[in-house]
Amino acid sequence: QVQLVESGGGFVQAGGSLRLSCAASWSIFSINAMGWYRQAPGKQRELVAGITSSGRPNYADSVKGRFTISRDNAKNTVYLQMNSLKFEDTAVYYCNARPSPSWTRVDFGSWGQGTQVTVSS
């Protein structure tokens, strides 16, 4: 099972930016789909963005136009660039690797330990 380690979370004011990174323990070239999910206190885990092995992205409506997901197969790393952050983006962000882009299946695939993103209003 692939190990995933997230980094890049932190505290930022509304309107600011952060870039999350997810480093995988082996080549992500063969991983069909990788994504970012988030979970705020008292809420269910939800998809933020996902990307297939061919580079096709998928975004939650709430982040379209503000967040960008990308993958660097040479570095075994997936990124989430988050711009124009809002208070409601505050959550723990989790990296996920899965054999298919079944993004609505939350309990699926391998997970990192999560990184906290806090946006002040």
Side-chain angles (χ1 to χ4, degrees):
Q1 184 168 336
V2 62
Q3 303 298 313
L4 304 170
V5 179
E6 302 98 334
S7 61
F11 182 91
V12 64
Q13 292 186 333
S17 298
L18 284 174
R19 187 176 82 153
L20 305 183
S21 299
C22 171
S25 59
W26 69 48
S27 172
I28 65 172
F29 181 78
S30 61
I31 298 177
N32 285 333
M34 297 194 69
W36 290 93
Y37 287 73
R38 67 186 180 189
Q39 188 166 18
K43 295 188 177 180
Q44 292 185 334
R45 191 171 297 189
E46 63 178 4
L47 173 70
V48 177
I51 188 166
T52 66
S53 56
S54 62
R56 183 174 60 193
N58 184 73
Y59 296 99
D61 288 342
S62 59
V63 306
K64 283 180 181 178
R66 300 188 298 122
F67 291 10
T68 302
I69 189 171
S70 61
R71 59 191 290 168
D72 186 335
N73 290 341
K75 296 183 178 180
N76 298 329
T77 301
V78 176
Y79 303 98
L80 184 68
Q81 178 66 44
M82 305 185 295
N83 298 328
S84 302
L85 282 160
K86 303 177 180 180
F87 174 75
E88 50 265 39
D89 294 318
T90 296
V92 178
Y93 284 69
Y94 296 91
C95 182
N96 173 263
R98 53 184 58 201
S100 66
S102 304
W103 303 120
T104 57
R105 292 183 59 185
V106 178
D107 189 15
F108 189 48
S110 300
W111 297 90
Q113 81 288 351
T115 185
Q116 177 70 46
V117 171
T118 302
V119 184
S120 65
S121 59

